[in-house]
Amino acid sequence: MFYLIHGTDREKIEQKFRQLLKTLLAKKDQPLFFRLDSDNFREESFEELIFGQSLFDRKYLVGCQGLLTEPLSGEFLLKHLPAVADSPHIFVFSETALSPTIAKEASRLATGSQNIDLAKTVKSRWSADQFILGDKLGQGDRRAAWVVLALALEAGAEPEVIYWQYVQTIKNMILVKRTKSIESIGLHPFVLTKTKKQAANFSEAKLISLHHDLVLIYHDARIGRRDLALALESFILSI
């Protein structure tokens, strides 16, 4: 049997993937766990996991990340999905950017399938969690950050509100980079933990450059030289 978690929201997909593996590993008859990705995937080994049997008749739990979209493994796995579906062992696939055709076929064979789309996630979270704009910037994922920005603007967010979220996010990361005793910064513990993770995605020089770009954007927008919303889109595509 297999489960499929796919879509465009990488962060949420990874979270669901880990949660499902943790739940399955906590079962009374704890399975033997294998984790596969493009670095360690081998056709012969995968076939053994489909049809194999452990010494103590324990089931296998196989976590597979990004294999259906990899050129070297994708074609092989698509041919073997019916066998994976019939296997007594448990496979969990975590995928982003699946084509509609592959997603439909894999979902049809899967014991359970979940599509986590970034656009849907953002629209549902926007009114309740407007900090998602700064969060996506801090992750350094320009595609996700641009999608969030576009959806926020479409939902009626004021460009200046978005601008100051970006400024604060970058200033917090610079502060974390420059302060030896970061606990003394004064940020809320949740914000501090989040900012430490975000800061690891950028060099201090890159953060200073981004902050400088934002200052210029605001100045140009104030004197009517640039449209702030369009300038923010260009900015996000530069991170």
Side-chain angles (χ1 to χ4, degrees):
M1 72 179 70
F2 75 90
Y3 298 90
L4 173 65
I5 304 169
H6 70 105
T8 54
D9 192 333
R10 295 182 182 180
E11 181 184 4
K12 196 74 173 290
I13 289 170
E14 174 65 21
Q15 181 183 9
K16 291 288 185 180
F17 179 67
R18 286 188 273 107
Q19 286 178 344
L20 182 54
L21 292 178
K22 183 178 180 180
T23 299
L24 292 171
L25 282 169
K27 288 182 175 294
K28 187 176 182 180
D29 50 342
Q30 189 178 37
L32 295 172
F33 179 59
F34 301 87
R35 191 159 187 157
L36 302 179
D37 55 29
S38 58
D39 292 330
N40 64 358
F41 175 82
R42 301 292 182 274
E43 293 182 2
E44 300 81 5
S45 300
F46 195 85
E47 286 184 325
E48 290 178 8
L49 291 173
I50 297 174
F51 304 108
Q53 187 172 7
S54 70
L55 183 62
F56 302 104
D57 292 329
R58 289 170 65 187
K59 288 185 177 181
Y60 300 151
L61 172 61
V62 187
C64 305
Q65 288 188 286
L67 295 180
L68 290 173
T69 50
E70 277 290 323
L72 295 179
S73 57
E75 185 176 352
F76 171 86
L77 288 175
L78 289 174
K79 291 180 180 178
H80 284 74
L81 275 184
V84 175
D86 291 336
S87 174
H89 304 298
I90 306 169
F91 295 77
V92 181
F93 290 92
S94 168
E95 299 287 342
T96 58
L98 275 183
S99 71
T101 301
I102 294 176
K104 182 177 180 180
E105 177 62 16
S107 297
R108 182 182 67 83
L109 294 169
T111 301
S113 175
Q114 187 172 8
N115 181 7
I116 305 175
D117 184 69
L118 182 60
K120 293 177 182 176
T121 300
V122 173
K123 285 180 178 178
S124 65
R125 286 180 57 188
W126 170 244
S127 60
D129 181 13
Q130 298 188 14
F131 292 106
I132 188 174
L133 287 159
D135 291 345
K136 292 301 178 185
L137 166 63
Q139 290 169 11
D141 185 338
R142 66 167 62 95
R143 180 185 179 280
W146 179 82
V147 170
V148 168
L149 172 61
L151 290 169
L153 291 170
E154 183 183 338
E158 289 292 333
E160 190 157 339
V161 173
I162 296 172
Y163 172 85
W164 289 112
Q165 282 198 33
Y166 289 162
V167 169
Q168 192 60 56
T169 298
I170 291 174
K171 287 176 68 176
N172 285 348
M173 287 192 286
I174 292 174
L175 198 58
V176 165
K177 287 278 192 185
R178 290 182 168 179
T179 307
K180 292 183 179 180
S181 178
I182 57 177
E183 286 72 17
S184 65
I185 292 176
L187 293 175
H188 186 280
F190 173 77
V191 177
L192 179 58
T193 299
K194 180 172 66 175
T195 303
K196 286 163 61 178
K197 292 180 180 178
Q198 293 172 344
N201 296 321
F202 301 90
S203 67
E204 184 176 337
K206 178 65 175 178
L207 291 171
I208 292 172
S209 175
L210 291 174
H211 186 266
H212 181 259
D213 290 344
L214 284 174
V215 171
L216 291 180
I217 285 172
Y218 193 71
H219 177 265
D220 287 350
R222 295 285 287 181
I223 62 175
R225 185 179 296 169
R226 301 177 71 181
D227 177 81
L228 183 55
L230 293 177
L232 289 175
E233 288 194 58
S234 297
F235 167 78
I236 281 299
L237 292 174
S238 73
I239 65 174

PDB file of all heavy atoms in Angstrom, residues 213-235:
ATOM      1  N   ASP A 213      17.979  47.566  -0.743  1.00  0.00           N
ATOM      2  CA  ASP A 213      17.028  47.577  -1.861  1.00  0.00           C
ATOM      3  C   ASP A 213      15.648  48.057  -1.409  1.00  0.00           C
ATOM      4  O   ASP A 213      14.979  48.819  -2.120  1.00  0.00           O
ATOM      5  CB  ASP A 213      16.908  46.176  -2.461  1.00  0.00           C
ATOM      6  CG  ASP A 213      18.161  45.749  -3.208  1.00  0.00           C
ATOM      7  OD1 ASP A 213      18.994  46.615  -3.518  1.00  0.00           O
ATOM      8  OD2 ASP A 213      18.301  44.534  -3.478  1.00  0.00           O
ATOM      9  N   LEU A 214      15.233  47.625  -0.233  1.00  0.00           N
ATOM     10  CA  LEU A 214      13.925  48.039   0.284  1.00  0.00           C
ATOM     11  C   LEU A 214      13.881  49.536   0.579  1.00  0.00           C
ATOM     12  O   LEU A 214      12.860  50.195   0.336  1.00  0.00           O
ATOM     13  CB  LEU A 214      13.583  47.243   1.545  1.00  0.00           C
ATOM     14  CG  LEU A 214      13.125  45.799   1.331  1.00  0.00           C
ATOM     15  CD1 LEU A 214      12.967  45.086   2.671  1.00  0.00           C
ATOM     16  CD2 LEU A 214      11.804  45.756   0.560  1.00  0.00           C
ATOM     17  N   VAL A 215      14.966  50.065   1.101  1.00  0.00           N
ATOM     18  CA  VAL A 215      15.030  51.510   1.371  1.00  0.00           C
ATOM     19  C   VAL A 215      14.873  52.292   0.071  1.00  0.00           C
ATOM     20  O   VAL A 215      14.114  53.278   0.002  1.00  0.00           O
ATOM     21  CB  VAL A 215      16.359  51.878   2.064  1.00  0.00           C
ATOM     22  CG1 VAL A 215      16.514  53.399   2.146  1.00  0.00           C
ATOM     23  CG2 VAL A 215      16.409  51.266   3.461  1.00  0.00           C
ATOM     24  N   LEU A 216      15.560  51.868  -0.987  1.00  0.00           N
ATOM     25  CA  LEU A 216      15.468  52.543  -2.280  1.00  0.00           C
ATOM     26  C   LEU A 216      14.056  52.431  -2.863  1.00  0.00           C
ATOM     27  O   LEU A 216      13.535  53.396  -3.440  1.00  0.00           O
ATOM     28  CB  LEU A 216      16.484  51.941  -3.253  1.00  0.00           C
ATOM     29  CG  LEU A 216      17.960  52.213  -2.957  1.00  0.00           C
ATOM     30  CD1 LEU A 216      18.838  51.541  -4.005  1.00  0.00           C
ATOM     31  CD2 LEU A 216      18.239  53.717  -2.916  1.00  0.00           C
ATOM     32  N   ILE A 217      13.455  51.242  -2.707  1.00  0.00           N
ATOM     33  CA  ILE A 217      12.088  51.034  -3.204  1.00  0.00           C
ATOM     34  C   ILE A 217      11.121  52.010  -2.553  1.00  0.00           C
ATOM     35  O   ILE A 217      10.292  52.642  -3.221  1.00  0.00           O
ATOM     36  CB  ILE A 217      11.647  49.574  -2.949  1.00  0.00           C
ATOM     37  CG1 ILE A 217      12.327  48.628  -3.932  1.00  0.00           C
ATOM     38  CG2 ILE A 217      10.123  49.439  -3.048  1.00  0.00           C
ATOM     39  CD1 ILE A 217      12.103  47.163  -3.622  1.00  0.00           C
ATOM     40  N   TYR A 218      11.233  52.147  -1.242  1.00  0.00           N
ATOM     41  CA  TYR A 218      10.314  53.024  -0.513  1.00  0.00           C
ATOM     42  C   TYR A 218      10.513  54.476  -0.929  1.00  0.00           C
ATOM     43  O   TYR A 218       9.545  55.216  -1.130  1.00  0.00           O
ATOM     44  CB  TYR A 218      10.522  52.861   0.984  1.00  0.00           C
ATOM     45  CG  TYR A 218       9.431  53.486   1.819  1.00  0.00           C
ATOM     46  CD1 TYR A 218       8.160  52.911   1.864  1.00  0.00           C
ATOM     47  CD2 TYR A 218       9.661  54.651   2.552  1.00  0.00           C
ATOM     48  CE1 TYR A 218       7.144  53.472   2.624  1.00  0.00           C
ATOM     49  CE2 TYR A 218       8.656  55.216   3.322  1.00  0.00           C
ATOM     50  CZ  TYR A 218       7.395  54.619   3.350  1.00  0.00           C
ATOM     51  OH  TYR A 218       6.395  55.189   4.102  1.00  0.00           O
ATOM     52  N   HIS A 219      11.766  54.867  -1.066  1.00  0.00           N
ATOM     53  CA  HIS A 219      12.062  56.246  -1.475  1.00  0.00           C
ATOM     54  C   HIS A 219      11.480  56.522  -2.859  1.00  0.00           C
ATOM     55  O   HIS A 219      10.836  57.560  -3.086  1.00  0.00           O
ATOM     56  CB  HIS A 219      13.580  56.468  -1.492  1.00  0.00           C
ATOM     57  CG  HIS A 219      13.986  57.827  -1.975  1.00  0.00           C
ATOM     58  ND1 HIS A 219      14.327  58.076  -3.294  1.00  0.00           N
ATOM     59  CD2 HIS A 219      14.089  59.018  -1.325  1.00  0.00           C
ATOM     60  CE1 HIS A 219      14.618  59.349  -3.434  1.00  0.00           C
ATOM     61  NE2 HIS A 219      14.505  59.950  -2.251  1.00  0.00           N
ATOM     62  N   ASP A 220      11.696  55.614  -3.800  1.00  0.00           N
ATOM     63  CA  ASP A 220      11.186  55.787  -5.159  1.00  0.00           C
ATOM     64  C   ASP A 220       9.661  55.817  -5.189  1.00  0.00           C
ATOM     65  O   ASP A 220       9.052  56.559  -5.974  1.00  0.00           O
ATOM     66  CB  ASP A 220      11.699  54.670  -6.065  1.00  0.00           C
ATOM     67  CG  ASP A 220      13.174  54.828  -6.410  1.00  0.00           C
ATOM     68  OD1 ASP A 220      13.742  55.888  -6.112  1.00  0.00           O
ATOM     69  OD2 ASP A 220      13.757  53.872  -6.963  1.00  0.00           O
ATOM     70  N   ALA A 221       9.037  54.977  -4.358  1.00  0.00           N
ATOM     71  CA  ALA A 221       7.576  54.936  -4.322  1.00  0.00           C
ATOM     72  C   ALA A 221       7.007  56.228  -3.746  1.00  0.00           C
ATOM     73  O   ALA A 221       5.974  56.728  -4.213  1.00  0.00           O
ATOM     74  CB  ALA A 221       7.105  53.743  -3.492  1.00  0.00           C
ATOM     75  N   ARG A 222       7.681  56.795  -2.748  1.00  0.00           N
ATOM     76  CA  ARG A 222       7.194  58.020  -2.107  1.00  0.00           C
ATOM     77  C   ARG A 222       7.215  59.216  -3.059  1.00  0.00           C
ATOM     78  O   ARG A 222       6.367  60.104  -2.975  1.00  0.00           O
ATOM     79  CB  ARG A 222       8.045  58.331  -0.873  1.00  0.00           C
ATOM     80  CG  ARG A 222       7.931  57.311   0.237  1.00  0.00           C
ATOM     81  CD  ARG A 222       6.643  57.417   1.004  1.00  0.00           C
ATOM     82  NE  ARG A 222       6.600  58.575   1.876  1.00  0.00           N
ATOM     83  CZ  ARG A 222       5.586  58.873   2.674  1.00  0.00           C
ATOM     84  NH1 ARG A 222       4.524  58.054   2.703  1.00  0.00           N
ATOM     85  NH2 ARG A 222       5.608  59.936   3.443  1.00  0.00           N
ATOM     86  N   ILE A 223       8.185  59.238  -3.974  1.00  0.00           N
ATOM     87  CA  ILE A 223       8.276  60.384  -4.893  1.00  0.00           C
ATOM     88  C   ILE A 223       7.602  60.071  -6.231  1.00  0.00           C
ATOM     89  O   ILE A 223       7.694  60.866  -7.178  1.00  0.00           O
ATOM     90  CB  ILE A 223       9.743  60.794  -5.131  1.00  0.00           C
ATOM     91  CG1 ILE A 223      10.532  59.661  -5.797  1.00  0.00           C
ATOM     92  CG2 ILE A 223      10.389  61.230  -3.827  1.00  0.00           C
ATOM     93  CD1 ILE A 223      11.962  60.066  -6.150  1.00  0.00           C
ATOM     94  N   GLY A 224       6.912  58.919  -6.303  1.00  0.00           N
ATOM     95  CA  GLY A 224       6.154  58.582  -7.489  1.00  0.00           C
ATOM     96  C   GLY A 224       6.950  58.016  -8.637  1.00  0.00           C
ATOM     97  O   GLY A 224       6.455  57.908  -9.769  1.00  0.00           O
ATOM     98  N   ARG A 225       8.190  57.611  -8.375  1.00  0.00           N
ATOM     99  CA  ARG A 225       9.036  57.086  -9.442  1.00  0.00           C
ATOM    100  C   ARG A 225       8.708  55.618  -9.757  1.00  0.00           C
ATOM    101  O   ARG A 225       8.876  55.173 -10.886  1.00  0.00           O
ATOM    102  CB  ARG A 225      10.503  57.211  -9.035  1.00  0.00           C
ATOM    103  CG  ARG A 225      11.498  56.797 -10.115  1.00  0.00           C
ATOM    104  CD  ARG A 225      12.922  56.984  -9.643  1.00  0.00           C
ATOM    105  NE  ARG A 225      13.210  58.406  -9.403  1.00  0.00           N
ATOM    106  CZ  ARG A 225      14.300  58.830  -8.795  1.00  0.00           C
ATOM    107  NH1 ARG A 225      15.186  57.962  -8.326  1.00  0.00           N
ATOM    108  NH2 ARG A 225      14.499  60.128  -8.622  1.00  0.00           N
ATOM    109  N   ARG A 226       8.218  54.893  -8.748  1.00  0.00           N
ATOM    110  CA  ARG A 226       7.900  53.473  -8.939  1.00  0.00           C
ATOM    111  C   ARG A 226       6.585  53.144  -8.238  1.00  0.00           C
ATOM    112  O   ARG A 226       6.229  53.764  -7.225  1.00  0.00           O
ATOM    113  CB  ARG A 226       9.011  52.575  -8.370  1.00  0.00           C
ATOM    114  CG  ARG A 226      10.365  52.796  -8.964  1.00  0.00           C
ATOM    115  CD  ARG A 226      11.419  51.936  -8.295  1.00  0.00           C
ATOM    116  NE  ARG A 226      11.296  50.531  -8.628  1.00  0.00           N
ATOM    117  CZ  ARG A 226      12.091  49.579  -8.138  1.00  0.00           C
ATOM    118  NH1 ARG A 226      13.039  49.884  -7.274  1.00  0.00           N
ATOM    119  NH2 ARG A 226      11.919  48.326  -8.486  1.00  0.00           N
ATOM    120  N   ASP A 227       5.883  52.162  -8.798  1.00  0.00           N
ATOM    121  CA  ASP A 227       4.697  51.628  -8.137  1.00  0.00           C
ATOM    122  C   ASP A 227       5.156  50.652  -7.061  1.00  0.00           C
ATOM    123  O   ASP A 227       5.910  49.711  -7.351  1.00  0.00           O
ATOM    124  CB  ASP A 227       3.808  50.915  -9.158  1.00  0.00           C
ATOM    125  CG  ASP A 227       2.588  50.281  -8.510  1.00  0.00           C
ATOM    126  OD1 ASP A 227       1.603  50.992  -8.262  1.00  0.00           O
ATOM    127  OD2 ASP A 227       2.648  49.053  -8.239  1.00  0.00           O
ATOM    128  N   LEU A 228       4.694  50.830  -5.825  1.00  0.00           N
ATOM    129  CA  LEU A 228       5.210  50.042  -4.715  1.00  0.00           C
ATOM    130  C   LEU A 228       4.909  48.550  -4.880  1.00  0.00           C
ATOM    131  O   LEU A 228       5.778  47.702  -4.631  1.00  0.00           O
ATOM    132  CB  LEU A 228       4.634  50.551  -3.391  1.00  0.00           C
ATOM    133  CG  LEU A 228       5.147  49.867  -2.120  1.00  0.00           C
ATOM    134  CD1 LEU A 228       6.669  49.917  -2.040  1.00  0.00           C
ATOM    135  CD2 LEU A 228       4.518  50.489  -0.876  1.00  0.00           C
ATOM    136  N   ALA A 229       3.706  48.202  -5.304  1.00  0.00           N
ATOM    137  CA  ALA A 229       3.342  46.784  -5.461  1.00  0.00           C
ATOM    138  C   ALA A 229       4.224  46.100  -6.498  1.00  0.00           C
ATOM    139  O   ALA A 229       4.743  44.992  -6.269  1.00  0.00           O
ATOM    140  CB  ALA A 229       1.868  46.662  -5.850  1.00  0.00           C
ATOM    141  N   LEU A 230       4.426  46.751  -7.639  1.00  0.00           N
ATOM    142  CA  LEU A 230       5.267  46.173  -8.691  1.00  0.00           C
ATOM    143  C   LEU A 230       6.725  46.091  -8.240  1.00  0.00           C
ATOM    144  O   LEU A 230       7.428  45.116  -8.546  1.00  0.00           O
ATOM    145  CB  LEU A 230       5.159  47.001  -9.966  1.00  0.00           C
ATOM    146  CG  LEU A 230       3.800  46.982 -10.670  1.00  0.00           C
ATOM    147  CD1 LEU A 230       3.807  47.916 -11.877  1.00  0.00           C
ATOM    148  CD2 LEU A 230       3.428  45.560 -11.099  1.00  0.00           C
ATOM    149  N   ALA A 231       7.166  47.104  -7.501  1.00  0.00           N
ATOM    150  CA  ALA A 231       8.543  47.106  -7.001  1.00  0.00           C
ATOM    151  C   ALA A 231       8.770  45.957  -6.017  1.00  0.00           C
ATOM    152  O   ALA A 231       9.831  45.328  -6.005  1.00  0.00           O
ATOM    153  CB  ALA A 231       8.859  48.442  -6.343  1.00  0.00           C
ATOM    154  N   LEU A 232       7.754  45.670  -5.191  1.00  0.00           N
ATOM    155  CA  LEU A 232       7.877  44.571  -4.234  1.00  0.00           C
ATOM    156  C   LEU A 232       7.945  43.227  -4.954  1.00  0.00           C
ATOM    157  O   LEU A 232       8.666  42.313  -4.524  1.00  0.00           O
ATOM    158  CB  LEU A 232       6.712  44.596  -3.251  1.00  0.00           C
ATOM    159  CG  LEU A 232       6.710  45.735  -2.236  1.00  0.00           C
ATOM    160  CD1 LEU A 232       5.430  45.717  -1.406  1.00  0.00           C
ATOM    161  CD2 LEU A 232       7.936  45.656  -1.322  1.00  0.00           C
ATOM    162  N   GLU A 233       7.211  43.089  -6.051  1.00  0.00           N
ATOM    163  CA  GLU A 233       7.283  41.848  -6.827  1.00  0.00           C
ATOM    164  C   GLU A 233       8.702  41.657  -7.386  1.00  0.00           C
ATOM    165  O   GLU A 233       9.252  40.553  -7.334  1.00  0.00           O
ATOM    166  CB  GLU A 233       6.253  41.863  -7.948  1.00  0.00           C
ATOM    167  CG  GLU A 233       4.822  41.713  -7.478  1.00  0.00           C
ATOM    168  CD  GLU A 233       3.881  41.392  -8.615  1.00  0.00           C
ATOM    169  OE1 GLU A 233       4.097  40.360  -9.289  1.00  0.00           O
ATOM    170  OE2 GLU A 233       2.930  42.163  -8.846  1.00  0.00           O
ATOM    171  N   SER A 234       9.277  42.721  -7.920  1.00  0.00           N
ATOM    172  CA  SER A 234      10.640  42.638  -8.438  1.00  0.00           C
ATOM    173  C   SER A 234      11.622  42.312  -7.325  1.00  0.00           C
ATOM    174  O   SER A 234      12.566  41.529  -7.509  1.00  0.00           O
ATOM    175  CB  SER A 234      11.034  43.964  -9.110  1.00  0.00           C
ATOM    176  OG  SER A 234      10.205  44.225 -10.227  1.00  0.00           O
ATOM    177  N   PHE A 235      11.399  42.919  -6.169  1.00  0.00           N
ATOM    178  CA  PHE A 235      12.266  42.669  -5.016  1.00  0.00           C
ATOM    179  C   PHE A 235      12.240  41.196  -4.607  1.00  0.00           C
ATOM    180  O   PHE A 235      13.292  40.579  -4.402  1.00  0.00           O
ATOM    181  CB  PHE A 235      11.827  43.550  -3.846  1.00  0.00           C
ATOM    182  CG  PHE A 235      12.439  43.160  -2.523  1.00  0.00           C
ATOM    183  CD1 PHE A 235      13.747  43.506  -2.229  1.00  0.00           C
ATOM    184  CD2 PHE A 235      11.703  42.445  -1.572  1.00  0.00           C
ATOM    185  CE1 PHE A 235      14.319  43.130  -1.009  1.00  0.00           C
ATOM    186  CE2 PHE A 235      12.257  42.079  -0.374  1.00  0.00           C
ATOM    187  CZ  PHE A 235      13.579  42.419  -0.085  1.00  0.00           C
TER     188      PHE A 235
END
